[in-house]
Amino acid sequence: MALKIFDFDELFTFKAAAARDGRRVSQKDLSPLKSARLVSVDGKILWLGPKKQFKASLLKPWGGVRAFEQVNLSGFLALPAFVECHSHLVFAGSRHGEFEQRNQGVSYEQIAKQGGGIISTVKATRRASESELLALAQERAIKFLSQGVTVLEVKSGYGLNQSSELKLLKVAGQIQGPQIVPTFLGAHALPPEFSDVDSYLDYLEQKVLPLVKRRGLAQRIDIFWDKGYFHSPRALKFLLQAQKMGFAICAHVDQLHSLGGVKSLLELASVSLDHVVQLTDPDITRIARSQSTAVLLPGADFYLRMKYPPARRLLEEGARCALATDFNPGSCPTQDLSLIGVLARLEMKMTLPEVLVAYTYGAAAALGLQADFGSLEVGKSCDFVCFNAGLEELFYSVGHHPVKGVWHRGQQVYAH
Ligand code: NIG
Ligand code: FE
């Protein structure tokens, strides 16, 4: 049994932010505790509070204080660990050529029409072996872990046929370090073998989804709901079928065009709505009143030089928002959390507490994991990150993210 006592000078638990379900948060909702103590048993928080309120008798059932390992983390700032709720981590190849093309004025959509974009990564990824993909994905996962990410969502979507999609999900399942949440994104783009969307969705529904389910490779499915991708009544039917099979739904929606996807996806209880750049006024109100989380991906808007989602309006109407990198080789080839946080503040006018809650509790909620992650409270997972900086130094300087150590389920998983 792993028994630990952690002592901190300054610990932010985000308890009040969690009590507000991550909505309309401000500085006080970060719930700071000075001279704090946290006790964990087998990776779960047993007790947490000001050190002077701690009573040793609490630990009697576990053999008393002496049975516990004591970890002194004074001198550091501690926060709930980050959750990266939207990443396309498993791929081969690079799209630096497209970056140059976009810079010369060719659009993301034009590049896709010429056979580049997602399909060019599909070609490279299909060619790569499982072990090559795992080596690439593993290194990227550690890059997230080193920034304080202990829960990492990983999408498939660069296979687009049965064997390659299953290969990507198998790779996701073998990644070590952060807890991985795999998502099946077969409906990412139309693969070259199919000439129409409906027959590809038939194929996914009849051949691939049942295998993903049977082998337990993913419990969630995602779709790219946009013009030129998937947005028809057939696409809705596909999602309904997936839901019937027990998959949770999430979606890339209204990134490039406003196609009314938000309304349809909310009717399906989509656990998150990602990108949400092209929102109408009624969409904003719908999201704010829903249980779904709006996942904002400013790194993609930055790289594609597009407009940013209406974050302020979403937040002020009471939506729960998350932030994530959307790391992928095309629209966001960076894993840098500090850049995402700076863009959120600079371009979407999110406050620092809003950014911090969006990258913890909000992101956990986007994965349906807020009962375990996203804040530090009794019964939740003992996942936290220590910084060698004051709180206000975070998400201000791109590249400055001075993590000293990362703990996942009460174990130190990264040290600088
Ligand atoms: O989230 N929008 C769709 N999918 C990715 C981009 C994938 C790619 O360009 O390879 C995104 O931005
Ligand atoms: Fe994405």
Side-chain angles (χ1 to χ4, degrees):
M1 200 177 267
L3 308 168
K4 299 206 174 152
I5 297 176
F6 299 95
D7 286 328
F8 307 90
D9 283 345
E10 197 173 26
L11 173 70
F12 289 82
T13 69
F14 292 21
K15 183 180 175 185
R20 304 181 64 84
D21 199 19
R23 299 170 196 264
R24 295 196 172 96
V25 296
S26 60
Q27 181 78 25
K28 62 178 184 340
D29 299 316
L30 303 182
S31 308
L33 273 180
K34 295 260 188 228
S35 296
R37 173 162 280 187
L38 186 157
V39 179
S40 87
V41 171
D42 280 345
K44 290 234 181 247
I45 300 172
L46 174 76
W47 188 90
L48 171 83
K51 202 171 161 184
K52 54 178 192 288
Q53 285 176 16
F54 172 77
K55 293 199 175 60
S57 57
L58 173 87
L59 307 184
K60 261 200 195 136
W62 288 273
V65 173
R66 265 181 295 158
F68 282 70
E69 181 190 339
Q70 302 227 8
V71 186
N72 182 359
L73 292 167
S74 52
F76 304 118
L77 162 80
L79 305 176
F82 298 112
V83 173
E84 171 63 38
C85 67
H86 185 134
S87 92
H88 303 255
L89 198 82
V90 190
F91 63 86
S94 162
R95 305 236 295 273
H96 52 265
E98 272 177 30
F99 176 83
E100 183 69 17
Q101 262 184 297
R102 284 204 306 273
N103 242 357
Q104 308 292 337
V106 191
S107 75
Y108 182 74
E109 285 171 283
Q110 281 168 316
I111 290 170
K113 277 197 192 116
Q114 294 160 7
I118 294 173
I119 295 303
S120 77
T121 300
V122 169
K123 286 183 190 144
T125 306
R126 284 183 180 177
R127 278 197 301 270
S129 69
E130 196 175 307
S131 62
E132 282 163 351
L133 288 169
L134 180 58
L136 289 165
Q138 183 59 59
E139 197 179 322
R140 295 167 187 155
I142 298 301
K143 204 180 251 182
F144 275 124
L145 190 72
S146 72
Q147 297 176 84
V149 170
T150 59
V151 178
L152 171 58
E153 190 260 8
V154 174
K155 299 178 194 299
S156 68
Y158 291 122
L160 308 188
N161 64 26
Q162 181 179 306
S163 62
S164 302
E165 281 294 306
L166 296 186
K167 174 174 74 174
L168 300 199
L169 291 174
K170 251 180 98 189
V171 166
Q174 293 172 70
I175 295 168
Q176 306 282 320
Q179 178 169 322
I180 301 296
V181 179
T183 305
F184 176 62
L185 177 56
H188 195 194
L190 190 65
E193 297 77 18
F194 286 84
S195 54
D196 70 290
V197 167
D198 288 8
S199 50
Y200 179 54
L201 290 175
D202 288 344
Y203 164 75
L204 287 182
E205 195 174 299
Q206 285 152 23
K207 298 265 190 275
V208 193
L209 273 187
L211 277 174
V212 174
K213 187 76 200 163
R214 200 170 328 127
R215 298 191 188 168
L217 292 168
Q219 269 74 49
R220 300 159 33 90
I221 77 155
D222 194 347
I223 189 165
F224 187 7
W225 190 281
D226 222 308
K227 199 163 138 192
Y229 296 88
F230 305 91
H231 60 90
S232 59
R234 177 67 189 91
L236 263 188
K237 221 181 116 239
F238 167 74
L239 293 175
L240 262 173
Q241 177 57 22
Q243 201 168 43
K244 269 198 207 127
M245 292 171 75
F247 289 99
I249 310 288
C250 63
H252 288 68
V253 57
D254 296 357
Q255 176 189 9
L256 309 171
H257 302 93
S258 178
L259 298 175
V262 165
K263 187 165 181 280
S264 306
L265 283 152
L266 284 176
E267 282 162 12
L268 284 174
S270 187
V271 62
S272 72
L273 298 167
D274 302 35
H275 285 291
V276 289
V277 177
Q278 318 285 345
L279 294 181
T280 62
D281 289 351
D283 282 341
I284 294 175
T285 308
R286 277 187 193 106
I287 296 173
R289 291 186 183 157
S290 77
Q291 286 306 314
S292 181
T293 302
V295 178
L296 313 179
L297 305 164
D301 309 314
F302 168 72
Y303 267 101
L304 297 182
R305 305 196 69 231
M306 296 191 49
K307 71 173 188 178
Y308 290 80
R312 280 263 46 92
R313 295 208 38 219
L314 283 163
L315 292 161
E316 275 153 28
E317 283 212 31
R320 181 177 51 232
C321 291
L323 282 165
T325 59
D326 191 20
F327 173 58
N328 73 75
S331 63
C332 192
T334 180
Q335 294 185 245
D336 193 321
L337 265 65
S338 76
L339 172 66
I340 303 305
V342 168
L343 289 174
R345 298 180 73 184
L346 202 59
E347 300 288 354
M348 303 198 291
K349 303 298 169 212
M350 289 174 72
T351 65
L352 179 59
E354 285 167 345
V355 167
L356 290 165
V357 173
Y359 234 127
T360 51
Y361 185 85
L367 300 176
L369 296 177
Q370 68 271 45
D372 277 326
F373 300 97
S375 63
L376 294 164
E377 294 174 77
V378 170
K380 284 193 158 188
S381 190
C382 180
D383 281 39
F384 62 88
V385 51
C386 280
F387 282 96
N388 198 4
L391 189 76
E392 20 342 279
E393 268 183 68
L394 301 183
F395 300 117
Y396 139 73
S397 163
V398 175
H400 181 64
H401 191 72
V403 169
K404 282 308 290 180
V406 183
W407 279 261
H408 176 43
R409 299 192 181 283
Q411 306 283 348
Q412 185 160 18
V413 288
Y414 203 86
H416 274 275

